[in-house]
Amino acid sequence: MEQQAMNPYLPVLIFLVFGFIFGCIVSALSWLIGPRKYNKSKHEIYECGVPMVTSAREKNSVKFYLTAILFILFDIETVFLFLWAKSFNKLGWFGFVEVIVFIVILVVGYVYVVKRGALEWD
Amino acid sequence: MGLSLEQLTGWLAGVDEFWIQLAATIVKFIVVLLISLHVPPLMVWAERRIPALMQRRKGPNRVGIFRFRLFGLMQPLADTIKLIFKEEVVPDTAHKFFFHLAPVFVIFPALLVITAVPFGHPVTLGGYIFPMSVTRVDVGFLFVLAISSIAVYGISLAGWASNNKYSLLGGLRASAQMISYEIPLGMSLIPIVLIYGTLDLNEIVMQQQNVWGVFLAPISFVLFVVCMFAETNRAPFDMAEGESEIVAGYLTEYGTFKFSAFFLGEYVGMFTLSCLAATFFFGGWQIPFVSYETLVQISGSSLVASLIGMMVLLVKAAFFMWLYIWVRWTLPRFRYDQLMSLGWKFLLPLALANVVITAAVLVALQASRL
């Protein structure tokens, strides 16, 4: 690709700053314009009308945590595949065989995860 | 206006290209922003009118300007004004800072992804080349995938900061779902990179002039569309805000314009993914069998030709937006374990197999050509 006169990430930075300010304005708008009347029961969290039983900062299903860990494992490998895909034409058969080896190792891990029941939700 | 075109171009020639590109960027920035901020209200309107037609109702048709009702097109505007003037209720037990921060983190990634979407062929004006996307990142592919996943932070923050059990469950469900479907989403695009051999989004569109990506990588397309629905938490994968189970999920404690900020983020995200689906699989801004050069000859200007391309892309994106609504009113909601096993046990192996098969076919073709 040809050299660009402007760093292509400069517009991204402008958009980022603008998007952030825009988001702040949007979420502050009602706070500035709308009425503000304090009422104890109104400012309680919503629990279908009954008083709050316990805080929501409690123990949660470990499955969500496990999902996040598995995501990291498999997502890194996706990024790796992207790099191979970009230079696929240059690598040819060699790259293909290498990636097959990589994917086989990955599939072994995947089968292990499935067999151990990490992906079972009850 | 005594300024002729020659004088203008002569004056422009003296200015450093950086400033010209910056000015062009600001113009593009405003145009893209206007488009993407008009999509959510139109989508809210369409999402109430189209199902109404499907169910033989009328849908919202009252709100208008004086006697002109405009098929209820003013309904989203009226809703917005109402939402702005509502009282904001922040729960006493909520984490205040993160509660206010969460909507911001939903909006700005959604807006940021659009910067990389190519809306047309780069325009040549006065010797300068202006790309028709706000920015032209040469790794647009990775940029798009990376930025679009930031929205997970906003949603999980919203769920946690509300200190509400429904919100927490909704936030956890949404974030687990979004990260789970990101893997098949990313992998479904690898065959596209394999076929076109570039990470530049505009290059990918350029190569789809006569044959769209959907014909070369049909499985990728199906995978991408399924993951598109899951990534935006749309029906049939909308367990995150399943009102029959967890009230409204992470949105439970949000009211006023903060609530619509989440909607804005969601709809802009849908629009971006629709644009990307059109870019990867439906030929982007290309009209089938009409090359860009012909378009320039007919219209007489590269700017007009690129604007036509932009319209074509928007029409293609509109198709996907309509698909969102169509699917929402056709399929019932999944169960959460069904959703997770679909993502991990079906889509992920399918995506991997798709990558391997595509690569094998391409490598064999390469070998036969030599």
Side-chain angles (χ1 to χ4, degrees):
Chain A
M1 209 169 95
E2 74 281 4
Q3 185 68 35
Q4 294 183 32
M6 186 175 57
N7 190 326
Y9 291 96
L10 186 65
V12 176
L13 189 70
I14 300 173
F15 228 99
L16 179 77
V17 171
F18 178 83
F20 207 83
I21 294 169
F22 178 75
C24 290
I25 292 170
V26 159
S27 50
L29 215 56
S30 297
W31 184 73
L32 292 170
I33 298 173
R36 262 178 283 170
K37 290 194 195 98
Y38 187 80
N39 181 322
K40 182 131 190 10
S41 47
K42 185 166 75 185
H43 283 73
E44 241 172 36
I45 60 159
Y46 178 75
E47 225 160 80
C48 297
V50 295
M52 188 166 97
V53 183
T54 48
S55 162
R57 313 259 191 270
E58 282 182 346
K59 284 176 190 161
N60 259 299
S61 173
V62 75
K63 289 285 175 192
F64 291 109
Y65 181 67
L66 210 56
T67 309
I69 289 184
L70 290 177
F71 161 72
I72 292 171
L73 287 177
F74 283 93
D75 207 44
I76 286 172
E77 161 261 339
T78 313
V79 174
F80 183 77
L81 285 180
F82 264 111
L83 299 179
W84 159 70
K86 174 71 178 70
S87 42
F88 174 74
N89 284 332
K90 285 176 209 148
L91 295 174
W93 277 109
F94 171 72
F96 179 69
V97 171
E98 289 275 295
V99 161
I100 292 295
V101 170
F102 174 69
I103 286 177
V104 165
I105 295 169
L106 185 86
V107 167
V108 170
Y110 175 75
V111 169
Y112 173 75
V113 165
V114 172
K115 280 275 179 321
R116 285 301 297 264
L119 303 175
E120 300 298 326
W121 290 73
D122 41 26
Chain B
M1 295 294 283
L3 200 67
S4 70
L5 199 66
E6 286 77 35
Q7 274 175 308
L8 191 69
T9 42
W11 179 75
L12 279 177
V15 183
D16 191 33
E17 196 187 340
F18 174 80
W19 296 107
I20 296 171
Q21 289 286 359
L22 192 66
T25 301
I26 288 165
V27 172
K28 286 183 282 189
F29 175 84
I30 291 166
V31 171
V32 167
L33 201 70
L34 284 180
I35 292 173
S36 49
L37 290 184
H38 278 84
V39 165
L42 275 173
M43 213 26 210
V44 168
W45 174 78
E47 194 137 44
R48 296 177 68 181
R49 289 291 289 197
I50 293 174
L53 287 173
M54 286 175 180
Q55 300 172 340
R56 303 190 68 186
R57 295 182 282 117
K58 283 208 192 308
N61 62 352
R62 293 280 137 180
V63 182
I65 300 170
F66 303 114
R67 283 175 57 239
F68 305 104
R69 283 184 175 159
L70 304 167
F71 318 104
L73 253 178
M74 290 294 127
Q75 183 71 43
L77 188 69
D79 290 346
T80 310
I81 293 170
K82 182 191 142 189
L83 277 166
I84 291 174
F85 284 95
K86 286 284 170 186
E87 179 182 358
E88 185 169 339
V89 178
V90 182
D92 283 335
T93 44
H95 190 295
K96 299 285 186 308
F97 179 68
F98 288 143
F99 187 85
H100 293 295
L101 191 70
V104 182
F105 264 83
V106 173
I107 287 185
F108 89 81
L111 286 176
L112 207 56
V113 182
I114 304 184
T115 55
V117 175
F119 281 99
H121 189 280
V123 179
T124 315
L125 276 182
Y128 298 115
I129 299 169
F130 300 104
M132 277 290 276
S133 50
V134 175
T135 178
R136 193 176 170 191
V137 191
D138 44 5
V139 285
F141 226 99
L142 295 177
F143 177 82
V144 162
L145 287 175
I147 302 292
S148 61
S149 49
I150 296 181
V152 178
Y153 286 102
I155 286 171
S156 47
L157 262 184
W160 183 80
S162 300
N163 200 3
N164 179 330
K165 283 156 206 121
Y166 296 122
S167 297
L168 186 69
L169 274 175
L172 281 174
R173 279 184 181 194
S175 42
Q177 167 185 344
M178 283 165 86
I179 59 174
S180 295
Y181 276 77
E182 220 165 86
I183 304 164
L185 182 87
M187 271 196 213
S188 75
L189 294 176
I190 289 173
I192 295 289
V193 184
L194 285 173
I195 292 166
Y196 296 118
T198 176
L199 292 172
D200 185 8
L201 296 180
N202 197 48
E203 282 291 314
I204 291 170
V205 177
M206 298 277 269
Q207 292 186 34
Q208 293 184 48
Q209 189 182 313
N210 293 331
V211 183
W212 284 357
V214 63
F215 300 116
L216 297 176
I219 298 170
S220 289
F221 175 67
V222 173
L223 282 168
F224 187 85
V225 169
V226 172
C227 296
M228 196 166 96
F229 283 87
E231 279 293 302
T232 45
N233 291 320
R234 288 282 304 187
F237 305 124
D238 59 345
M239 274 70 65
E241 37 195 294
E243 65 274 9
S244 52
E245 305 157 16
I246 48 171
V247 189
Y250 55 90
L251 292 168
T252 306
E253 292 297 341
Y254 282 92
T256 71
F257 213 63
K258 278 206 177 65
F259 171 76
S260 38
F262 280 100
F263 259 73
L264 202 72
E266 188 183 318
Y267 282 122
V268 173
M270 280 161 62
F271 174 62
T272 321
L273 277 175
S274 302
C275 284
L276 288 176
T279 303
F280 295 139
F281 298 104
F282 275 29
W285 45 263
Q286 298 259 28
I287 306 171
F289 308 114
V290 181
S291 74
Y292 179 72
E293 284 72 30
T294 333
L295 214 58
V296 172
Q297 271 175 4
I298 295 169
S299 61
S301 151
S302 69
L303 182 64
V304 176
S306 289
L307 288 177
I308 292 171
M310 189 169 166
M311 292 299 137
V312 171
L313 179 68
L314 290 180
V315 168
K316 284 171 183 171
F319 165 74
F320 283 100
M321 300 298 271
W322 174 74
L323 190 71
Y324 270 114
I325 299 173
W326 189 20
V327 169
R328 179 178 173 181
W329 294 93
T330 307
L331 298 175
R333 184 179 293 147
F334 273 49
R335 230 171 40 222
Y336 198 68
D337 61 318
Q338 289 174 333
L339 165 93
M340 291 312 253
S341 54
L342 175 74
W344 284 99
K345 290 185 183 161
F346 183 69
L347 296 184
L348 177 61
L350 185 66
L352 262 178
N354 188 27
V355 170
V356 173
I357 291 168
T358 314
V361 170
L362 284 176
V363 136
L365 279 178
Q366 220 175 33
S368 69
R369 237 180 266 137
L370 289 175

